[in-house]
Amino acid sequence: MERHSRRSAGRALRSPAAVVLAVGSAGVGAVAGLPVLAALAIGAGGYALGAAASALLRRDGGGGRQERIDPFTLGDPWRRRVQAALSAQQRYEAAIRGTRDGPLRERLVDVGARIEAGVQECWRIANQGNALGKGVRTLGIVELRTRLDTAEATAGARAVDDQQVASLRAQLESAERLSTTSADADARLVVLTARLDEAAARAVELSLGSGTDADLVGLGSEVDEVVDQLEALRLALGEVAG
């Protein structure tokens, strides 16, 4: 356990979030005209903050444990993504309740466990995305662009070698990468939650006897594929964090 904690702490300290906030904080100190040592001290504080944020982003990221889901602890768009996943699960469970006891119902219950796993993955992804979005807002892309433009104009021909300009560019590039990652994850989550809802619709049809054994097998395969892709997305966001 202790070794695992040390490894987790090490990953947090090497994470992009920690580095971005360290660079950003030091850059702020330099822009404010603080002495180099003071600016570096501010940067160290930002680094510690970033490491802590990275650790939080990875916390509870693994599968296996059922977590209490509360969409209202998240901001949009992540709140709506979790609500959509929960709605699909509720629709699926309603289909099971409307199915007579027998092999069909048992199979639908089995697939329902995978639906639940998919909703849990959506919840974890949404938490990661929500934390990532907070980090991007903290960096302030619009403000960084304005400050960079001002610094480049002030430096003039010396902008290529100007340390302040280089610092602001690095911060802006990091912030833009994180913003793109967040937007891509959200777009992917929209598609995957829609596929969960499609699975729920197919379960309703099967519960009414409008389907074959092949359709039931196909439903299980589809849900497995969606859950696998959700897990892959969660792991990819975890890599961004550390």
Side-chain angles (χ1 to χ4, degrees):
M1 177 68 72
E2 182 179 351
R3 189 185 314 166
H4 174 74
S5 298
R6 287 199 299 269
R7 285 201 302 267
S8 297
R11 286 197 300 270
L13 289 172
R14 295 191 300 271
S15 73
V19 175
V20 165
L21 284 178
V23 172
S25 300
V28 169
V31 171
L34 295 176
V36 173
L37 289 179
L40 289 176
I42 294 174
Y47 183 77
L49 177 62
S54 176
L56 286 172
L57 190 60
R58 282 194 304 274
R59 187 182 64 186
D60 295 334
R65 192 178 77 256
Q66 298 299 307
E67 301 173 21
R68 179 179 177 275
I69 297 176
D70 183 0
F72 293 99
T73 61
L74 305 175
D76 279 331
W78 307 104
R79 175 189 302 164
R80 284 180 280 121
R81 306 300 172 246
V82 174
Q83 288 174 326
L86 287 171
S87 177
Q89 182 181 13
Q90 291 164 0
R91 188 179 180 187
Y92 188 94
E93 290 173 348
I96 293 177
R97 289 194 297 271
T99 305
R100 293 193 304 271
D101 289 341
L104 172 60
R105 192 177 196 279
E106 291 174 2
R107 179 57 180 150
L108 287 175
V109 168
D110 289 340
V111 176
R114 293 295 285 160
I115 292 278
E116 184 176 6
V119 174
Q120 286 281 326
E121 291 291 356
C122 287
W123 168 241
R124 296 181 182 117
I125 291 166
N127 273 277
Q128 290 175 315
N130 195 63
L132 194 59
K134 288 180 179 178
V136 171
R137 288 192 296 275
T138 298
L139 290 171
I141 291 179
V142 174
E143 181 183 355
L144 281 173
R145 285 176 182 151
T146 301
R147 288 167 51 198
L148 177 58
D149 290 342
T150 301
E152 287 176 334
T154 301
R158 297 180 293 102
V160 175
D161 301 317
D162 188 270
Q163 291 184 351
Q164 179 181 331
V165 170
S167 174
L168 289 169
R169 281 177 179 165
Q171 294 174 63
L172 181 59
E173 289 171 1
S174 295
E176 288 176 337
R177 281 195 298 271
L178 291 175
S179 180
T180 298
T181 298
S182 179
D184 289 347
D186 178 46
R188 187 67 185 139
L189 195 56
V190 168
V191 172
L192 292 172
T193 52
R195 289 178 65 184
L196 284 179
D197 197 52
E198 290 171 8
R202 289 172 62 187
V204 171
E205 293 178 2
L206 288 168
S207 70
L208 297 174
S210 303
T212 64
D213 289 343
D215 293 328
L216 188 55
V217 171
L219 173 64
S221 298
E222 170 74 9
V223 172
D224 282 342
E225 182 181 342
V226 171
V227 175
D228 288 344
Q229 291 185 27
L230 285 166
E231 182 180 10
L233 178 56
R234 171 177 58 78
L235 293 174
L237 283 177
E239 286 299 315
V240 171

Coordinates of all heavy atoms in Angstrom, one line a residue, residues 196-234:
L196 N -25.6 3.7 -25.4 CA -26.2 3.1 -24.3 C -27.7 3.2 -24.4 O -28.5 2.3 -24.1 CB -25.7 3.7 -23.0 CG -24.3 3.3 -22.5 CD1 -24.0 4.1 -21.2 CD2 -24.2 1.8 -22.3
D197 N -28.2 4.4 -24.8 CA -29.6 4.6 -25.0 C -30.2 3.8 -26.1 O -31.3 3.2 -26.0 CB -29.9 6.1 -25.3 CG -31.4 6.5 -25.0 OD1 -31.9 6.2 -23.9 OD2 -32.0 7.1 -25.9
E198 N -29.4 3.6 -27.1 CA -29.9 2.7 -28.2 C -30.0 1.2 -27.7 O -31.0 0.5 -28.1 CB -28.9 2.7 -29.4 CG -28.9 4.0 -30.1 CD -27.7 4.1 -31.1 OE1 -27.0 3.0 -31.3 OE2 -27.5 5.2 -31.7
A199 N -29.1 0.8 -26.9 CA -29.2 -0.5 -26.3 C -30.4 -0.6 -25.4 O -31.1 -1.7 -25.4 CB -27.9 -0.8 -25.4
A200 N -30.8 0.4 -24.7 CA -32.0 0.4 -23.9 C -33.2 0.2 -24.8 O -34.2 -0.5 -24.5 CB -32.1 1.6 -23.1
A201 N -33.3 0.9 -25.9 CA -34.4 0.8 -26.8 C -34.5 -0.6 -27.4 O -35.6 -1.1 -27.5 CB -34.2 1.8 -28.0
R202 N -33.4 -1.2 -27.7 CA -33.4 -2.6 -28.2 C -33.9 -3.5 -27.1 O -34.6 -4.5 -27.4 CB -32.0 -3.0 -28.7 CG -31.6 -2.2 -30.0 CD -30.2 -2.5 -30.4 NE -29.9 -3.9 -30.6 CZ -28.7 -4.4 -30.8 NH1 -27.7 -3.6 -30.8 NH2 -28.5 -5.7 -31.1
A203 N -33.6 -3.3 -25.9 CA -34.0 -4.1 -24.8 C -35.5 -4.0 -24.7 O -36.2 -5.1 -24.4 CB -33.4 -3.7 -23.5
V204 N -36.1 -2.9 -24.9 CA -37.6 -2.7 -24.8 C -38.2 -3.6 -25.9 O -39.2 -4.3 -25.7 CB -38.0 -1.2 -25.0 CG1 -39.5 -1.1 -25.2 CG2 -37.5 -0.4 -23.8
E205 N -37.6 -3.6 -27.1 CA -38.2 -4.4 -28.2 C -38.1 -5.9 -27.9 O -39.1 -6.6 -28.1 CB -37.4 -4.1 -29.5 CG -37.6 -2.7 -30.1 CD -36.7 -2.5 -31.3 OE1 -36.1 -3.4 -31.7 OE2 -36.8 -1.4 -31.8
L206 N -37.0 -6.3 -27.3 CA -36.8 -7.7 -26.9 C -37.8 -8.1 -25.8 O -38.3 -9.2 -25.8 CB -35.4 -7.9 -26.5 CG -34.3 -7.9 -27.6 CD1 -32.9 -7.9 -27.0 CD2 -34.5 -9.1 -28.5
S207 N -38.0 -7.2 -24.9 CA -38.9 -7.5 -23.8 C -40.3 -7.7 -24.3 O -41.1 -8.4 -23.6 CB -38.9 -6.4 -22.7 OG -39.5 -5.2 -23.2
L208 N -40.7 -7.1 -25.5 CA -42.0 -7.3 -26.0 C -42.1 -8.5 -27.0 O -43.1 -8.7 -27.7 CB -42.4 -6.0 -26.8 CG -42.5 -4.7 -25.9 CD1 -42.7 -3.5 -26.8 CD2 -43.6 -4.9 -24.9
G209 N -41.0 -9.2 -27.1 CA -41.0 -10.4 -28.0 C -40.6 -10.1 -29.4 O -40.8 -10.9 -30.3
S210 N -40.2 -8.8 -29.7 CA -39.8 -8.4 -31.0 C -38.4 -8.6 -31.3 O -37.6 -7.7 -31.4 CB -40.2 -7.0 -31.3 OG -41.6 -6.8 -31.0
G211 N -37.9 -9.9 -31.3 CA -36.5 -10.1 -31.6 C -36.2 -11.6 -31.5 O -37.1 -12.4 -31.1
T212 N -35.0 -11.9 -31.9 CA -34.5 -13.3 -31.9 C -33.4 -13.5 -30.9 O -32.9 -12.6 -30.3 CB -34.1 -13.7 -33.3 OG1 -32.9 -12.9 -33.7 CG2 -35.1 -13.4 -34.4
D213 N -33.0 -14.8 -30.8 CA -31.8 -15.0 -30.0 C -30.6 -14.3 -30.5 O -29.7 -13.8 -29.7 CB -31.5 -16.6 -29.9 CG -32.6 -17.3 -29.1 OD1 -33.3 -16.7 -28.4 OD2 -32.7 -18.5 -29.3
A214 N -30.5 -14.2 -31.8 CA -29.3 -13.5 -32.4 C -29.4 -12.0 -32.0 O -28.3 -11.4 -31.8 CB -29.3 -13.7 -33.9
D215 N -30.6 -11.5 -31.9 CA -30.7 -10.1 -31.5 C -30.2 -9.9 -30.1 O -29.6 -8.9 -29.8 CB -32.1 -9.6 -31.7 CG -32.6 -9.5 -33.1 OD1 -31.8 -9.3 -34.0 OD2 -33.8 -9.8 -33.3
L216 N -30.5 -10.9 -29.3 CA -30.1 -10.8 -27.8 C -28.6 -10.9 -27.7 O -28.0 -10.1 -26.9 CB -30.8 -11.9 -27.1 CG -30.7 -11.9 -25.5 CD1 -31.1 -10.5 -25.0 CD2 -31.4 -13.0 -24.9
V217 N -28.0 -11.8 -28.5 CA -26.6 -11.9 -28.5 C -25.9 -10.6 -29.0 O -24.9 -10.1 -28.4 CB -26.1 -13.1 -29.3 CG1 -24.6 -13.1 -29.5 CG2 -26.6 -14.4 -28.7
G218 N -26.5 -10.0 -30.0 CA -26.0 -8.8 -30.6 C -26.1 -7.6 -29.6 O -25.2 -6.8 -29.5
L219 N -27.2 -7.6 -28.8 CA -27.3 -6.6 -27.8 C -26.2 -6.7 -26.8 O -25.5 -5.7 -26.4 CB -28.6 -6.7 -27.1 CG -28.9 -5.8 -25.9 CD1 -28.8 -4.3 -26.3 CD2 -30.2 -6.1 -25.2
G220 N -25.9 -7.9 -26.3 CA -24.8 -8.1 -25.3 C -23.5 -7.7 -25.9 O -22.7 -7.0 -25.2
S221 N -23.2 -8.0 -27.1 CA -21.9 -7.6 -27.8 C -21.8 -6.1 -27.9 O -20.7 -5.5 -27.7 CB -21.8 -8.3 -29.2 OG -21.8 -9.7 -29.0
E222 N -22.9 -5.5 -28.3 CA -22.9 -4.0 -28.4 C -22.6 -3.3 -27.1 O -21.8 -2.4 -27.1 CB -24.3 -3.6 -29.0 CG -24.5 -2.1 -29.0 CD -23.7 -1.3 -30.1 OE1 -23.1 -2.0 -30.9 OE2 -23.7 -0.1 -30.1
V223 N -23.3 -3.8 -26.1 CA -23.1 -3.2 -24.8 C -21.6 -3.4 -24.3 O -21.0 -2.5 -23.7 CB -24.1 -3.7 -23.7 CG1 -23.7 -3.2 -22.3 CG2 -25.5 -3.3 -24.1
D224 N -21.1 -4.6 -24.5 CA -19.7 -4.9 -24.1 C -18.7 -3.9 -24.8 O -17.8 -3.4 -24.2 CB -19.3 -6.3 -24.5 CG -19.9 -7.3 -23.5 OD1 -20.2 -6.9 -22.3 OD2 -20.0 -8.5 -23.8
E225 N -19.0 -3.7 -26.1 CA -18.1 -2.8 -26.9 C -18.2 -1.4 -26.4 O -17.2 -0.7 -26.3 CB -18.6 -2.9 -28.4 CG -17.7 -2.0 -29.3 CD -18.1 -2.0 -30.7 OE1 -18.9 -2.9 -31.1 OE2 -17.7 -1.1 -31.5
V226 N -19.4 -0.9 -26.0 CA -19.5 0.4 -25.5 C -18.8 0.6 -24.2 O -18.1 1.5 -24.0 CB -21.0 0.8 -25.3 CG1 -21.2 2.1 -24.6 CG2 -21.7 0.9 -26.7
V227 N -19.0 -0.4 -23.3 CA -18.3 -0.4 -22.0 C -16.8 -0.4 -22.2 O -16.0 0.4 -21.5 CB -18.8 -1.5 -21.1 CG1 -18.0 -1.5 -19.8 CG2 -20.2 -1.4 -20.8
D228 N -16.3 -1.2 -23.1 CA -14.8 -1.2 -23.4 C -14.3 0.1 -23.8 O -13.2 0.6 -23.4 CB -14.5 -2.3 -24.4 CG -14.7 -3.7 -23.8 OD1 -14.7 -3.9 -22.6 OD2 -14.7 -4.7 -24.6
Q229 N -15.1 0.8 -24.7 CA -14.7 2.0 -25.2 C -14.7 3.1 -24.1 O -13.9 4.0 -24.1 CB -15.5 2.4 -26.4 CG -15.2 1.6 -27.6 CD -16.0 2.0 -28.9 OE1 -16.3 3.2 -29.0 NE2 -16.3 1.1 -29.8
L230 N -15.7 3.0 -23.3 CA -15.8 4.0 -22.1 C -14.6 3.8 -21.2 O -14.0 4.8 -20.8 CB -17.1 3.7 -21.4 CG -18.4 4.3 -22.0 CD1 -19.6 3.7 -21.3 CD2 -18.4 5.8 -22.0
E231 N -14.2 2.6 -21.0 CA -13.1 2.3 -20.1 C -11.8 2.9 -20.8 O -10.9 3.5 -20.1 CB -12.9 0.8 -19.8 CG -11.7 0.5 -18.9 CD -11.6 -1.0 -18.6 OE1 -12.3 -1.8 -19.3 OE2 -10.8 -1.3 -17.7
A232 N -11.7 2.7 -22.1 CA -10.5 3.2 -22.8 C -10.4 4.7 -22.7 O -9.4 5.3 -22.6 CB -10.5 2.7 -24.3
L233 N -11.6 5.3 -22.8 CA -11.6 6.8 -22.7 C -11.2 7.3 -21.3 O -10.4 8.2 -21.2 CB -13.0 7.3 -23.1 CG -13.3 8.8 -23.0 CD1 -12.3 9.6 -23.8 CD2 -14.7 9.1 -23.3
R234 N -11.7 6.6 -20.3 CA -11.3 6.9 -18.9 C -9.8 6.8 -18.7 O -9.2 7.7 -18.1 CB -12.1 6.0 -17.9 CG -11.5 6.2 -16.5 CD -12.3 5.4 -15.5 NE -12.3 4.0 -15.8 CZ -11.3 3.2 -15.5 NH1 -10.2 3.6 -15.0 NH2 -11.4 1.9 -15.7

